Amino acid sequence: MFRASRDYEKARQAMVARQLRGRGIKDGRVLDAMGRVPRERFLPEGRQTQAYDDSALGIGLGQTISQPYMVALMTEALHLRPDDRVLEVGTGSGYQAAMLAELSAHVCTVERLAELSERARALLCDELGYTNISFKVGDGTLGWPEKSPFDRIMVTAGAPHRPQILLDQLAPRGEAVAPVGGQHWQTLTHYRRKPDDTIEEHKVCECVFVRLIGEDGW
Ligand code: SAM
């Protein structure tokens, strides 16, 4: 039974130990940030006691907040540095944006559903006090050209093919992660822009995300 914030704190530290460290997440900055960000705040009323379950959860409008392990794995795979400017596609609840904001200089996050974007903005900026996140409502498959280039890009919905428009907004030596594949499961893919400007890619793991819907998506 969760009664007080210390119950959530305890559950959060247990999640970090069992679900993250126990499964091979090693980056100390990622583990520390996962231990700080209050995931329960990003869930709808009535779902908050499930915040540290080992699963993705519904956030309304047919969308999800990703499983804690997947958030940590994707964040670790980006190799974030404190000075990085980051693009996130798929703001959703705002939880992943908070993780990115903890570990980089600035996050630009794009969401196609205005209601989710506004809810995330109010929580992240007005309630939790983040000052390094910009929000946009629109089709994130097109990126955010006016704010590009980005040192890092994270796509948090499943793309049907390599997100070339987004990769074109990656700075030299920049890195991106995106779930790419079919409608029901995808391969989490890591991309790196090499010094000769070609893009190198490798598979991280299989995963399941909601669809990336848009001009260069589904
Ligand atoms: N990062 C989110 C979080 O921490 O809660 C989880 C994102 S959820 C798995 C995927 C999100 O991508 C949904 O909110 C969905 O509306 C959004 N989405 C899908 N297609 C999009 C697009 N073309 N542009 C922007 N957002 C999109």
Side-chain angles (χ1 to χ4, degrees):
M1 180 68 180
F2 287 77
R3 279 179 296 268
S5 62
R6 69 172 183 281
D7 294 326
Y8 284 113
E9 172 68 30
K10 226 170 126 187
R12 190 178 317 125
Q13 300 315 324
M15 174 275 285
V16 169
R18 292 192 200 125
Q19 299 174 33
L20 308 186
R21 213 180 255 115
R23 284 199 195 122
I25 301 293
K26 290 191 179 65
D27 186 326
R29 290 181 71 224
V30 173
L31 292 165
D32 287 349
M34 290 291 294
R36 274 196 306 274
V37 177
R39 186 174 157 92
E40 66 278 10
R41 300 288 299 273
F42 295 82
L43 288 165
E45 286 289 320
R47 281 233 128 146
Q48 297 180 332
T49 56
Q50 294 170 273
Y52 298 101
D53 287 2
D54 188 14
S55 63
L57 295 166
I59 54 169
L61 303 176
Q63 305 305 324
T64 52
I65 179 173
S66 303
Q67 176 197 28
Y69 174 71
M70 187 51 65
V71 172
L73 184 71
M74 290 176 80
T75 307
E76 185 173 67
L78 264 192
H79 308 111
L80 289 162
R81 301 160 305 178
D83 290 342
D84 281 340
R85 284 170 34 81
V86 184
L87 171 69
E88 181 195 23
V89 176
T91 312
S93 69
Y95 178 65
Q96 177 72 71
M99 281 296 298
L100 297 172
E102 290 278 332
L103 299 171
S104 68
H106 197 89
V107 179
C108 294
T109 183
V110 188
E111 169 59 54
R112 60 183 280 274
L113 301 174
E115 188 179 328
L116 290 182
S117 179
E118 176 46 30
R119 213 193 285 165
R121 192 208 59 74
L123 174 62
L124 288 164
C125 301
D126 302 345
E127 295 181 37
L128 297 177
Y130 286 93
T131 55
N132 61 339
I133 308 177
S134 304
F135 298 81
K136 179 179 175 174
V137 176
D139 180 1
T141 67
L142 306 177
W144 197 334
E146 311 88 295
K147 301 260 191 194
S148 70
F150 299 99
D151 302 302
R152 300 289 186 263
I153 297 177
M154 181 182 287
V155 183
T156 66
H161 50 248
R162 174 174 157 139
Q164 191 58 47
I165 295 174
L166 299 179
L167 296 178
D168 289 345
Q169 293 178 24
L170 207 48
R173 294 185 167 78
E175 298 181 36
V177 283
V180 179
Q183 303 213 21
H184 304 297
W185 62 270
Q186 305 87 30
T187 302
L188 183 65
T189 309
H190 177 270
Y191 301 94
R192 187 192 305 270
R193 180 179 289 281
K194 295 202 294 186
D196 67 3
D197 240 19
T198 57
I199 300 276
E200 165 189 274
E201 74 175 66
H202 82 268
K203 296 175 180 178
V204 180
C205 63
E206 302 308 317
C207 56
V208 177
F209 278 81
V210 296
R211 288 179 310 151
L212 180 72
I213 297 169
E215 214 171 301
D216 196 37
W218 290 100

